[in-house]
Amino acid sequence: MKNIILLLISLSLNQAFFAQCCGGCNPIGGNTNQGTLPKYTLQINTYYKHGYSAGYMQDDHNSDFKFVKNANNSYIGLQLGYGVFKRLTFMVDGGYYLNRTQNFEIQSYKFSLNGYGGSSITLSGKYNIIRDTARDIEFTMGLGVKLPWSKKPQIVNGVELTEDVQPSNGAFGLVLSAFLFKDFDNLNMRIFLINNTTINGKSIRDYKEGNTYITSLFVSKTFLKNWSAILQVRNEIRDFAFRDDVKVPSSGGYRFLCVPQINYTIKKKYNISALYEIPVYQNYYGIQLKDLYAFSINLNIRLGLSKKANTTCEKS
Amino acid sequence: MKNLVIIFILIISVFFVSCKKKEQKTSNDKVYTFNSLKVDHDSIAQGNVTNITADVSGDAVTYSWSASAGDIFNSGKTILFGASTCCTGNHTITCTVKDKGDHSESKSVVVKVY
């Protein structure tokens, strides 16, 4: 186990040394509220996410700037996790943009730019540092590397697409995560606090997306036999982007979101959930396109690959 | 019968010779001239666009376009270049022309976005 952790850390350091790490292109699915998996347990999580943006914002208020009329994207993600040891889980996370589209209306002309394809693959490990079963507290930390699906920019009809519609940001990245969990068994309620940090590198176009710092607080309550509701309050901070080592003034910012989520569990193994992201407060640096909403549908399957794991799964 | 065989061999020979000549033409001769890359406005405000046209004379070619930043609309000989708030500064727009024989030539223009 010691060797595997060392290997993971060294891999991450290599990526951080040779490239400077890449971008938070992948949408956040509804399965971020997960710590480590029980030993020999395989978890498959697949999700579909759709996002829509329209209008511009300058700082925290609407701007009358016009260029992109609206933008939307549809993304399918697959996340595989495996409990290698009691306290260590390995994860592979990848995704594909069915479309990443911007529609323009400029001087009475209408244009559309559309990218599609693989986004990135993240390889990560999560290690459970504290597991206090008496007080139902868990603290887990994770470390991973983000690999671009392609380092070359996508070209459609002989035209190289802009960064905003590229399916992959073409750069490597380093992902750090922390997960704190507290179960209030007598109230049928659980609380999660999660932080995800993504350190982004440069693409071959010498463009560096801003690093992202996402902190989420989840409150989960079971209200019927197989139904549970989750309310997520999320803070997202994105640093400025850099092009040719020059800061892009209209990039980065911070926002708060409210994300209601509903889950249905079948036979303690299958979990179907739907969530809707509502931006509550947005503050963008400079003038930027405004996110209006996003929704996801998730399917989560947990399989114990041994009798022992099955028992542990049912307990957890 | 003998005559028929000779005629057949002659036809096949003509076919191969003509094919060979055609191959030589496509691999060795550049069939176009890339005269210039013309931009209507070399300075535009954020949210505006300008036409950029490749002046090429000659046979069928393909056009590839890229920009160091900003958006390119349409494709082919003439495109529109525009930029939103992301992209103030000088940006290089490059057009690469290629023929069937894989002869390529690139030209660039610089557009200032303010």
Side-chain angles (χ1 to χ4, degrees), chain A residues 56 65-67 102 104 106-107 111 113 157-160 162-164 205 243 248-250 287-288, chain B residues 46-49 63-75 80 82-87:
Chain A
Y56 279 85
F65 182 79
K66 283 183 174 61
F67 192 62
Q102 286 192 331
F104 300 79
I106 309 159
Q107 296 163 0
F111 305 102
L113 294 178
N157 291 332
V159 173
E160 192 176 300
T162 177
E163 285 99 4
D164 295 335
R205 290 162 59 123
R243 179 178 284 113
V248 179
S250 286
I287 300 173
Q288 294 181 55
Chain B
Q46 294 171 18
N48 285 343
V49 289
Y63 299 86
S64 304
W65 294 87
S66 65
S68 57
D71 300 291
I72 296 171
F73 307 108
N74 297 332
S75 58
L80 273 168
S84 73
T85 53
C86 66
C87 310

Side-chain angles (χ1 to χ4, degrees), chain A residues 140-188:
Chain A
T140 296
M141 290 197 79
L143 183 64
V145 286
K146 200 168 191 175
L147 315 171
W149 191 276
S150 170
K151 287 178 79 178
K152 289 181 183 172
Q154 188 171 65
I155 296 168
V156 175
N157 291 332
V159 173
E160 192 176 300
L161 297 175
T162 177
E163 285 99 4
D164 295 335
V165 291
Q166 286 285 344
S168 172
N169 67 358
F172 291 91
L174 187 65
V175 181
L176 306 163
S177 65
F179 170 85
L180 180 67
F181 167 77
K182 167 76 181 148
D183 193 353
F184 298 93
D185 208 15
N186 52 343
L187 297 172
N188 273 337

